[in-house]
Amino acid sequence: AWSSPSAISGAIGEGAPQVASNGSGYAVAWKHYDGTATSLYANVFNGTGWSGVQLLENVNTSASLPRIASNGAGYAVVWRQSDGSFQSVYASFHDGAGWSVPLDIDGQDVDTVYPEIVSNGSSYAVAWQQGGNCHARLWSGAWGSIANLGGCPSATTDNERNFKMATDGAGYAAAFRPGNPSPYGMYAAVYHGGAWQGMTGVMPDGCQAPSHNAWHLRGGSGGYGVQATCSSGLYNNNELLGSFFHSGAWGAPLVLESGAYPVGYFSDLA
């Protein structure tokens, strides 16, 4: 049965809550304006009780876009925050006792957008957009070098739902949907066999997804799937397309369904 709701933040006005599980407990991260700046907080449930609200950073600049993941033991949170000059990607880990001091992990004096994090059950992968390219960094007990995944065409002017990550239980994938202006389309990079394969087109240019929720990236045993609704108009001539990564390469997009609205809307991939 469901438990009764309980307040875990201790304040009002929170936003962008994110949750992850390590298999026996949960951790929640969120942002909250404290009167000076938007700060980042977290609370960890160990299976029996909540740890209490903890401030993850104490910089007097606003934090945004928190993302959280678990490797089955601890937790990791990434977010975007100004270092005083540029919007950087920060990370903090929870080892069961407390949260680590935040670390700037993007390594460049260029603004970042849309950080994402995922775990394969032991390590973590973080990816973000920066300076017209997508970048990624792995953590496995320590941070590895930053990988340039290649160009992320066009500016994503819409929101963070244009950038997603997934794992197949061993490696990682990052997918990117350009916002306006064109060429639209969709691109993905995969960490496979110990190395990143750079961004490659997995949906045709001109594939204009009619909404942010009309595309998905999912990982499964040994591969990945990308699904997108492509439209030549807001409601007419929709095509539901799928492209799949297996045996080290992406296959050509397949037309799963076509027709007028609501074809392709409210679809998902599992």
Side-chain angles (χ1 to χ4, degrees), residues 236-251:
N236 298 318
N237 302 319
N238 293 333
E239 286 188 330
L240 180 62
L241 302 180
S243 182
F244 303 93
F245 180 93
H246 58 87
S247 301
W250 288 97

Side-chain angles (χ1 to χ4, degrees), residues 71 93 119-126 137-145 172 191:
N71 65 353
F93 295 94
S119 175
N120 63 5
S122 58
S123 63
Y124 292 97
V126 181
R137 198 169 186 183
L138 303 183
W139 183 93
S140 184
W143 286 105
S145 59
Y172 299 99
Y191 184 79

Side-chain angles (χ1 to χ4, degrees), residues 221-257:
S221 178
Y224 302 92
V226 170
Q227 165 263 313
T229 301
C230 299
S231 176
S232 59
L234 184 59
Y235 295 108
N236 298 318
N237 302 319
N238 293 333
E239 286 188 330
L240 180 62
L241 302 180
S243 182
F244 303 93
F245 180 93
H246 58 87
S247 301
W250 288 97
L254 303 173
V255 177
L256 307 179
E257 189 178 16

